[in-house]
C-alpha cells in the first residue's frame, strides 16, 4: 500500500537534489560574474600598485609550468601563487599555457577560477586569452582525430563559461562559432587559403559536428538558447507541490545572454536539428535495408559474409549515436524527435509487389504454400519440448533454456504480428517475368558458382540399406519397456518403431521418447536411421522431417544439418552416376530434401543447387527429380519473400528447357503440372450482368407472384408504376415478352 508513496518521495527527493545542484552552479557563476564586474576589477587592479608582489623569475616560470598541467588538484596552489607574484611580464606565456593546457571536463571549474583571477589583475589577459582559444578552436577544424574533436568541444565550453563568468563580454565571438559549426562553414583563415590541407579533404562535403552541437545545447543551452528544456519542465511539475521557485530561477538564468543572440543561436541549432533529423531517418532506412539484405542472404546461402556483418554493425552503431544526439537536441530545444517510418516488409527485390506469406506466419489467401489449416499446423506448430521434458535430460543449463525461450517468444511475436495484418494484405501478386537471353545464361543467373559434385564414399552401401529397409517387427516402445528390462532392447525397439510414424501424434511422442535416450551415439544412430528410410515408404518422409525439426529446436548438436549433408551427398552421387535404374531412390532423396526445406531445416540455396544440377542435363530421370522437388516445396519457395524471385527464375528456365528440348509427352505433362502447382494460373472472375432494380422487380412480379388467382392484384401493381417514364414502358414490355417466351405462348 505504501510503495507508490515511497516511489513518489524518491522522485521528489531526486528532483530537489537536482534543483539544488543547478542553484549551486548558478550561484558560483553569479559570484564569479560579480567578482569580474568592471567595478570589482578596477578595485583589484588599484590595490595592486600598493602591494609588494614578488617578481622572482624562478617562481614565475614554475607558475607558468603549473598552468600547463592545470587540474582541480593544483588550482588552489595556482591561485595563491597568482596573488603573490607579479606576472606582468609573463601574461603572454600564461595565456599560451592556458590555451594549450590538456585539461579535462572535470578541471573546467578550476580553469575558470584561475582565468578569472588573472583577468582581475591584468587588463590585457582576457582579450588575448579569448583570441588564443578561438585560434586553437579553428586550428582543429575538420580533424578526424577523436582527441582533437573532444578538444574543440572543451574549448567551446570554456569560452561559454568564461563569458558567463564575466571574464569577457563579447558574446558575438561564441555566436559566430556556433553559426559556423551549424552551417558547416570553415574558419575565415582557412577559407581564404587555397592550399589548405584541412579544406582540401573536406571542402566538398564538410562534416556536421553533431557531438559539439549536442555538448553546447546540453551544457549552456538554457543561457544561450533561451529555451526551457524538457528536463526543467518535468522538474517543475515534480516540484509544483513544494512551491519551489523553478520558473523564476530559470528566468534569472536565461537573462545573462542578450535575447538577439539567443534567437540567432536558437535558429542555428534548429537548422542543425532538422539536418540531423534527416540523417537520423535516412540512417534508420539504411539499417533496414542492410538487415533485410543480410536476412535474405542468410536464408538463401545459409550464412552471412563477414563484410556484411560488419557493415550492419557499423550502421547500427551510427544509428544509435544519431538517436542519442537527436534525443539530446530535442530535449534542449524543447522539440519532438522526428518520427521514424513504420517498417514495411517486402521481398527485398525492390519491385514493390506485396507477398502474402511472411515466412513463419500464416498464408493469407488461396493457393498458398499450405493448402489448409491442418497442413499449416503440421509444418509450423511443433511441440515445445522444453515444457514436456526436463532440461537436465536435454543437457541444457538454465541459461540455455532461457535463451531458447526468448528466441521462441520473439518468433511467436513475429507470427502474431503477421497474423494480425492478414486482413490488410492483398492477394499474392506475381512478378513480371523478364526475358532471359538463353538457357545457358539463365542457368548462370539462377546459381552462380554452383558447388562441385561431391560423391559420398559409402553411397552404394547406404543405397542398399535404403532399398532393403529395416527388418524386424514394429513394436511400440511402451509395451516393450514393460516387458524387457534391457536398455539396449528398448533402444532397438524405439528405432524399429520409427517405421510406424504415420501420423502427427506418434511423431511428437517419438520426439519426447528420444529426449530421454539423448546421447551422442543415439543421435548419430537416429540420423542414420532417418537417412536409411526405405524408398517405398514415402509417406514417412514428412513425419521424419517433423521429428528432426522438433528435436533440432532443443538439441545443441545440428542433427538436421548432418542429415542434410548426407542427403545432398547421396543426391550428387545418384546424379553423377547417371543410373537409370534408381528412380525410386532419387525420388525419395529429393522429396526428403523438399520436406526438410519446408521445415526450414535445409537451406533454400541447397535445394536450388540440386534443382540447377538437374537443369544442366534436363532429360530422363532429372526431369522427374526436378518436377518432384517443385511439386513438394515449389509453392512454399514461391510464396517466401526471400526465395520468390529465384523460384520465378527457376520456373522460367524450366519452361524454356521444356520448349527447347524434345521431351516425351509424359515428361512435358510433369513439367507443366509442377509449374502450375507452384504458380497457379489466374482465374478470371465471372462477370455478372447488372440489371435495373425496376426490371428485377418486374421479373419477380411476373415470374413468382403472377398466377391464376391474383391477376387483378398484379394488374393494380403494374398500374402503379411510373408510366410517365419511357424507360418503364420498355422494361415492362421486355419482361412480359420474356415471360411469354418462357411460358411458350
Amino acid at each position: 500500500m505504501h510503495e507508490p508513496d515511497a516511489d513518489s518521495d524518491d522522485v521528489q527527493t531526486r528532483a530537489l537534489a537536482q534543483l539544488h545542484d543547478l542553484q549551486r552552479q548558478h550561484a558560483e557563476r553569479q559570484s564569479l560574474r560579480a567578482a569580474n564586474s568592471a567595478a570589482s576589477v578596477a578595485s583589484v587592479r588599484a590595490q595592486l600598485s600598493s602591494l609588494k608582489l614578488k617578481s622572482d623569475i624562478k617562481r614565475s616560470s614554475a607558475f607558468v609550468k603549473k598552468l600547463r598541467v592545470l587540474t582541480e588538484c593544483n588550482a588552489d596552489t595556482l591561485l595563491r601563487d597568482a596573488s603573490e607574484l607579479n606576472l606582468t611580464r609573463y601574461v603572454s606565456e600564461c595565456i599560451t599555457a592556458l590555451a594549450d593546457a590538456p585539461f579535462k571536463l572535470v578541471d573546467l571549474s578550476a580553469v575558470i577560477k584561475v582565468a578569472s583571477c588573472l583577468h582581475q589583475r591584468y587588463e590585457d589577459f582576457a582579450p588575448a586569452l579569448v583570441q588564443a582559444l578561438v585560434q586553437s578552436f579553428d586550428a582543429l577544424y575538420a580533424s578526424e582525430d577523436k582527441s582533437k574533436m573532444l578538444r574543440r568541444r572543451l574549448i567551446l565550453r570554456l569560452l561559454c563559461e568564461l563569458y558567463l563568468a564575466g571574464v569577457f563580454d563579447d558574446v558575438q565571438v561564441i555566436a559566430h562559432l556556433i553559426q559556423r559549426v551549424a552551417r558547416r562553414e570553415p574558419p575565415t583563415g582557412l577559407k581564404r587559403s587555397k592550399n589548405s590541407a584541412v579544406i582540401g579533404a573536406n571542402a566538398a562535403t564538410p562534416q556536421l559536428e553533431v557531438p559539439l552541437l549536442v555538448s553546447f545545447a546540453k551544457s549552456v543551452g538554457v543561457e544561450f538558447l533561451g529555451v526551457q528544456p524538457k528536463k526543467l519542465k518535468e522538474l517543475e511539475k515534480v516540484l509544483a507541490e513544494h512551491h519551489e521557485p523553478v520558473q523564476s530561477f530559470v528566468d534569472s538564468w536565461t537573462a545573462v545572454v542578450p535575447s538577439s543572440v539567443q534567437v540567432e543561436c536558437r535558429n542555428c541549432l534548429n537548422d542543425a536539428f532538422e539536418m540531423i533529423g534527416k540523417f537520423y531517418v535516412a540512417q534508420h532506412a539504411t539499417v533496414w535495408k542492410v538487415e533485410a539484405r543480410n536476412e535474405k542472404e542468410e536464408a538463401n546461402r545459409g550464412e552471412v559474409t563477414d563484410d556484411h556483418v560488419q557493415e550492419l554493425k557499423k550502421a547500427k552503431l551510427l544509428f544509435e549515436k544519431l538517436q542519442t544526439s537527436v534525443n539530446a537536441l530535442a530535449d534542449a530545444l524543447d522539440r519532438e524527435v522526428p518520427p521514424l517510418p513504420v517498417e514495411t516488409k517486402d521481398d527485398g527485390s525492390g519491385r514493390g509487389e506485396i507477398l502474402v506469406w511472411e515466412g513463419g506466419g500464416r498464408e493469407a489467401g488461396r493457393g498458398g504454400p499450405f493448402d489448409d489449416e491442418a497442413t499449416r499446423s503440421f509444418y509450423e506448430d511443433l511441440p515445445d519440448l522444453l515444457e514436456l521434458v526436463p532440461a537436465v535430460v536435454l543437457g541444457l543449463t538454465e541459461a540455455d533454456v532461457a535463451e531458447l525461450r526468448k528466441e521462441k517468444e520473439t518468433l511467436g511475436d513475429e507470427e502474431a504480428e503477421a497474423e494480425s495484418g492478414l486482413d490488410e494484405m492483398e492477394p499474392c501478386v506475381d512478378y513480371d517475368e523478364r526475358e532471359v537471353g538463353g538457357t545457358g545464361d539463365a542457368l548462370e543467373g539462377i546459381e552462380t558458382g554452383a558447388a562441385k559434385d561431391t560423391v559420398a564414399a559409402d553411397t552404394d552401401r547406404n543405397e542398399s540399406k535404403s532399398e532393403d529397409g529395416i527388418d524386424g517387427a514394429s513394436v511400440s516402445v511402451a509395451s516393450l519397456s514393460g516387458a524387457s528390462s534391457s536398455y539396449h532392447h528398448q533402444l532397438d525397439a524405439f528405432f524399429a518403431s520409427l517405421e510406424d510414424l504415420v501420423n502427427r501424434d506418434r511423431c511428437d511422442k517419438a520426439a519426447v521418447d528420444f529426449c530421454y535416450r539423448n546421447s551422442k551415439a543415439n543421435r548419430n544412430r537416429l540420423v542414420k536411421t532417418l537417412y536409411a528410410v526405405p524408398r517405398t515408404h514415402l509417406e514417412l518422409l514428412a513425419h521424419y522431417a517433423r521429428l528432426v525439426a522438433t528435436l533440432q529446436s532443443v538439441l545443441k548438436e545440428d542433427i538436421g544439418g548432418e542429415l542434410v549433408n548426407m542427403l545432398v551427398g547421396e543426391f550428387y552421387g545418384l546424379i553423377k552416376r547417371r543410373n537409370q535404374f534408381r528412380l525410386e531412390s532419387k525420388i525419395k532423396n529429393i522429396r526428403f530434401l523438399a520436406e526438410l526445406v519446408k521445415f526450414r531445416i535445409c537451406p533454400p540455396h541447397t535445394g536450388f543447387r540440386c534443382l540447377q544440377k538437374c537443369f544442366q542435363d534436363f532429360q530422363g530421370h532429372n526431369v522427374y527429380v526436378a518436377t518432384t522437388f517443385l511439386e513438394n516445396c515449389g509453392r512454399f519457395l514461391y510464396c517466401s519473400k526471400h526465395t520468390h524471385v529465384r523460384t520465378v527464375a527457376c520456373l522460367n528456365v524450366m519452361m524454356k528447357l521444356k520448349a527447347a528440348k524434345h521431351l516425351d509427352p509424359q515428361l512435358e505433362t510433369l513439367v507443366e503440372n509442377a509449374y502450375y502447382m507452384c504458380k497457379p494460373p489466374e482465374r478470371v472472375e465471372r462477370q455478372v450482368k447488372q440489371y435495373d432494380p425496376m426490371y428485377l422487380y418486374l421479373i419477380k412480379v411476373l415470374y413468382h407472384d403472377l398466377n391464376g388467382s391474383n391477376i387483378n392484384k398484379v394488374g393494380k401493381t403494374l398500374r402503379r408504376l411510373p408510366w410517365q417514364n419511357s424507360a418503364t414502358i420498355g422494361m415492362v414490355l421486355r419482361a412480359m415478352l420474356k415471360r411469354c417466351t418462357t411460358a411458350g405462348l
Side-chain angles (χ1 to χ4, degrees), residues 645-659:
V645 176
R646 196 170 181 182
T647 306
V648 170
C650 288
L651 293 176
N652 293 339
V653 170
M654 184 178 67
M655 297 305 291
K656 290 186 177 183
L657 288 172
K658 167 183 168 292

Side-chain angles (χ1 to χ4, degrees), residues 287-307:
V287 172
W288 274 0
K289 292 180 181 179
V290 176
E291 283 183 342
R293 183 199 62 192
N294 289 4
E295 185 180 356
K296 180 179 179 181
E297 182 179 353
E298 184 178 5
N300 289 336
R301 299 184 179 181
E303 60 180 358
V304 184
T305 61
D306 294 338
D307 294 340

Side-chain angles (χ1 to χ4, degrees), residues 365-379:
R366 59 189 179 184
F370 306 115
D371 297 333
D372 49 30
E373 176 62 22
T375 306
R376 185 209 64 80
S377 178
F378 177 79
Y379 284 101

Side-chain angles (χ1 to χ4, degrees), residues 434-653:
R434 294 179 293 179
E435 292 296 328
V436 185
T439 303
D441 296 337
L443 286 174
E444 294 178 0
I446 298 172
E447 179 64 40
T448 58
K452 297 182 179 180
D453 298 340
T454 57
V455 183
D458 55 345
T459 302
D460 294 334
R461 177 174 56 84
N462 293 332
E463 186 62 36
S464 62
K465 287 184 179 180
S466 175
E467 294 177 358
D468 295 337
I470 301 176
D471 297 331
S474 175
V475 184
S476 64
V477 176
S479 61
L480 189 58
S481 61
S484 175
S485 60
S486 173
Y487 172 77
H488 296 288
H489 290 173
Q490 296 178 15
L491 195 60
D492 293 339
F494 169 78
F495 285 108
S497 68
L498 293 180
E499 291 187 0
D500 293 336
L501 299 185
V502 293
N503 57 42
R504 178 175 175 175
D505 295 335
R506 291 185 180 182
C507 179
D508 297 343
K509 183 177 182 300
V512 175
D513 292 342
F514 180 79
C515 291
Y516 289 97
R517 299 171 173 83
N518 181 28
S519 66
K520 184 175 182 180
N522 291 342
R523 288 193 295 269
N524 294 334
R525 183 177 177 182
L526 175 65
V527 172
K528 293 179 180 179
T529 303
L530 297 179
Y531 168 73
V533 58
R535 66 180 185 276
T536 56
H537 291 188
L538 300 180
E539 72 280 357
L540 298 176
L541 298 178
H543 298 89
Y544 280 10
R546 179 180 173 88
L547 176 62
V548 173
T550 304
L551 295 175
Q552 181 83 0
S553 61
V554 295
L555 296 181
K556 292 183 178 181
E557 292 188 6
D558 187 12
I559 61 173
E562 185 178 353
L563 179 60
V564 169
N565 292 335
M566 296 175 67
L567 291 173
V568 171
E570 181 188 21
F571 171 83
Y572 282 113
L574 293 172
I575 293 295
K576 187 175 182 179
R577 284 203 305 267
R578 300 179 183 273
N579 193 331
Q580 298 298 319
F581 301 99
R582 295 185 180 272
L583 179 60
E584 292 181 352
S585 299
K586 295 178 182 179
I587 297 299
K588 183 264 296 184
N589 175 272
I590 200 65
R591 282 194 60 176
F592 207 167
L593 284 174
E595 294 295 338
L596 292 174
V597 168
K598 287 194 285 186
F599 277 104
R600 298 173 179 83
I601 300 299
C602 177
H605 75 92
T606 301
F608 284 120
R609 286 179 178 176
C610 296
L611 195 60
Q612 189 221 2
K613 189 66 178 177
C614 296
F615 287 165
Q616 291 178 358
D617 186 16
F618 197 63
Q619 60 182 350
H621 286 184
N622 288 352
V623 179
Y624 286 95
V625 173
T627 54
T628 301
F629 179 80
L630 291 175
E631 287 175 358
N632 283 271
C633 70
R635 182 65 183 173
F636 177 89
L637 297 173
Y638 180 82
C639 287
S640 177
K641 65 177 181 179
H642 296 305
T643 56
H644 176 84
V645 176
R646 196 170 181 182
T647 306
V648 170
C650 288
L651 293 176
N652 293 339
V653 170

Side-chain angles (χ1 to χ4, degrees), residues 271-332:
D271 295 341
F273 179 77
E274 296 292 340
M275 187 180 302
I276 297 172
K278 293 179 181 179
F279 293 159
Y280 171 63
V281 176
Q283 186 63 24
H284 183 253
T286 301
V287 172
W288 274 0
K289 292 180 181 179
V290 176
E291 283 183 342
R293 183 199 62 192
N294 289 4
E295 185 180 356
K296 180 179 179 181
E297 182 179 353
E298 184 178 5
N300 289 336
R301 299 184 179 181
E303 60 180 358
V304 184
T305 61
D306 294 338
D307 294 340
H308 290 174
V309 172
Q310 293 298 325
E311 183 180 355
L312 177 59
K313 185 177 180 181
K314 292 180 180 179
K316 286 185 176 181
L317 181 61
L318 179 58
F319 174 73
E320 292 174 358
K321 291 182 179 179
L322 284 175
Q323 189 175 29
T324 303
S325 301
V326 168
N327 291 334
L329 285 178
D331 178 77

